[in-house]
Amino acid sequence: MFSAILIEKGESGQAARVTSLDDSALPEGDVTVDVEYSTLNYKDGLAITGKSPVVRRFPMVPGIDLVGVVTESSHADWKQGDRVVLNGWGVGETHWGGLAQRARLKGDWLVPLPSAFTPRQSMAIGTAGYTAGLCVDALLNFGVRPDQGEVLVTGATGGVGSVAVALLTKAGFKVAAATGKASEADYLRQLGAVTVIDRAELSGPGKPMQKERWAGVVDSVGSHTLANATAQTRYRGAVAACGLAQGMDFPASVAPFILRGVSLLGIDSVMAPSAPRLAAWSRLASDLGAGALELIAEEIALGDVIAAAGRLLDGTVRGRIVVDVNR
């Protein structure tokens, strides 16, 4: 038996609870993992509260991240005792996820726990931090350089934004952090932000072309924020878009793309193949210090997850929530 968050759907809708499950209930997979830590991401919050149709199959164990120890494996890459990390792949949506003490998964979804991190630290990073790594890699691979000017990070106090600020600072950029939480300005400066701006400067309707400000952008917000950030991006700059906290819409024009040569780089962390995943984790291992991780993360127990999901969607969470599934 093992403890898990279980989301079930009935005539009155869906509901989440903490319960005990038998190993026989685990889904198909070629690797079984004793989970040490998971996380609570925005997508998990939507799944647990039912505020968006994230869950595609019921019953469902949410949790798009996990780290743990392999206990059984018929996959060639993994053996008993290996420590592995999982991010994405539809886990917590179509396949039981990490907010449980045990998981059964496909070995192709797993990556080794980087030696630079403890299991807890890897979940302080989680999908949000790994996504930030993909964004920073995308900007650097595109050719955005620190000498080209300031870079913008939207949703900067969130999980993606916090890690992006730290990684971009380490890469030598001057970072402007956009947030709706004025009280968190010191936190963002501790992560390396040079400038902190009010998200209200970006969150309303704006002109198709605006004053050039940013050499590059990491955006986890979408909607008007992404449109305005794009309209403010410098000639031949790039915007890495990875989220939709404000909305899925993109109320923009083609003007920045055809008049300034701005590039919009779409970042998918869920189904990203092995090479960019490993590259992102390598960057995180080399550039994200333990001090930043402690600053970014708070830890809760499995029994606290359902209440914390509402807090996360209310926008009152700073950084990352790490879940110790064994307490």
Side-chain angles (χ1 to χ4, degrees), residues 113-124:
L113 173 68
S115 59
F117 299 126
T118 65
R120 184 186 183 279
Q121 287 172 334
S122 75
M123 290 296 97

Side-chain angles (χ1 to χ4, degrees), residues 193-205:
V194 173
T195 306
V196 178
I197 66 174
D198 191 330
R199 70 181 178 197
E201 293 184 30
L202 299 164
S203 60

Side-chain angles (χ1 to χ4, degrees), residues 1-5 18-19 33-39 66-69 71 83 98-103 119-120 123 299-305 322-327:
M1 302 291 290
F2 62 95
S3 296
I5 305 291
V18 181
T19 190
V33 176
D34 277 352
V35 181
E36 295 172 287
Y37 293 93
S38 183
T39 64
L66 66 83
V67 62
V69 179
T71 57
R83 271 206 167 87
L99 286 168
Q101 293 174 324
R102 197 157 297 134
R120 184 186 183 279
M123 290 296 97
E299 183 180 312
I300 64 173
L302 189 65
D304 300 326
V305 166
V322 176
V323 181
D324 182 345
V325 299
N326 295 299
R327 71 173 179 90

Side-chain angles (χ1 to χ4, degrees), residues 153-165 176-180 187-188 191 193 220-221 319:
V153 176
T154 67
T157 56
V160 174
S162 294
V163 177
V165 170
T179 180
Y187 161 75
L188 292 169
L191 291 176
S220 61
V221 179

Side-chain angles (χ1 to χ4, degrees), residues 4-241:
I5 305 291
L6 190 69
I7 304 173
E8 298 172 293
K9 189 173 184 178
E11 293 182 2
S12 59
Q14 70 178 64
R17 61 190 174 99
V18 181
T19 190
S20 293
L21 298 170
D22 190 88
D23 283 10
S24 62
L26 288 167
E28 292 184 359
D30 50 15
V31 179
T32 302
V33 176
D34 277 352
V35 181
E36 295 172 287
Y37 293 93
S38 183
T39 64
L40 185 64
N41 292 276
Y42 191 78
K43 186 179 286 186
D44 300 319
L46 292 173
I48 290 167
T49 61
K51 290 188 176 180
S52 183
V54 169
V55 177
R56 309 296 176 84
R57 296 178 185 172
F58 294 92
M60 178 57 59
V61 173
I64 65 174
D65 292 323
L66 66 83
V67 62
V69 179
V70 173
T71 57
E72 297 178 29
S73 173
S74 59
H75 192 282
D77 291 348
W78 309 110
K79 65 182 185 302
Q80 187 177 4
D82 287 341
R83 271 206 167 87
V84 294
V85 174
L86 178 133
N87 310 109
W89 293 113
V91 169
E93 303 173 69
T94 60
H95 188 98
W96 282 18
L99 286 168
Q101 293 174 324
R102 197 157 297 134
R104 185 169 292 142
L105 308 153
K106 293 184 178 180
D108 288 346
W109 297 342
L110 305 173
V111 298
L113 173 68
S115 59
F117 299 126
T118 65
R120 184 186 183 279
Q121 287 172 334
S122 75
M123 290 296 97
I125 295 167
T127 286
Y130 144 68
T131 302
L134 291 173
C135 289
V136 173
D137 279 349
L139 291 178
L140 292 172
N141 291 338
F142 180 84
V144 178
R145 302 187 310 273
D147 62 3
Q148 294 171 335
E150 203 169 19
V151 293
L152 171 69
V153 176
T154 67
T157 56
V160 174
S162 294
V163 177
V165 170
L167 290 179
L168 288 164
T169 298
K170 179 67 174 180
F173 289 94
K174 291 183 178 179
V175 180
T179 180
K181 303 171 185 175
S183 61
E184 300 290 6
D186 287 344
Y187 161 75
L188 292 169
R189 291 192 178 97
Q190 284 180 277
L191 291 176
V194 173
T195 306
V196 178
I197 66 174
D198 191 330
R199 70 181 178 197
E201 293 184 30
L202 299 164
S203 60
K207 295 179 179 179
M209 293 282 280
Q210 300 173 35
K211 182 180 177 181
E212 295 179 67
R213 299 179 70 179
W214 321 116
V217 178
V218 173
D219 176 69
S220 61
V221 179
S223 192
H224 290 292
T225 298
L226 175 57
N228 286 318
T230 303
Q232 295 173 8
T233 298
R234 293 185 175 189
Y235 184 74
R236 296 191 67 80
V239 179

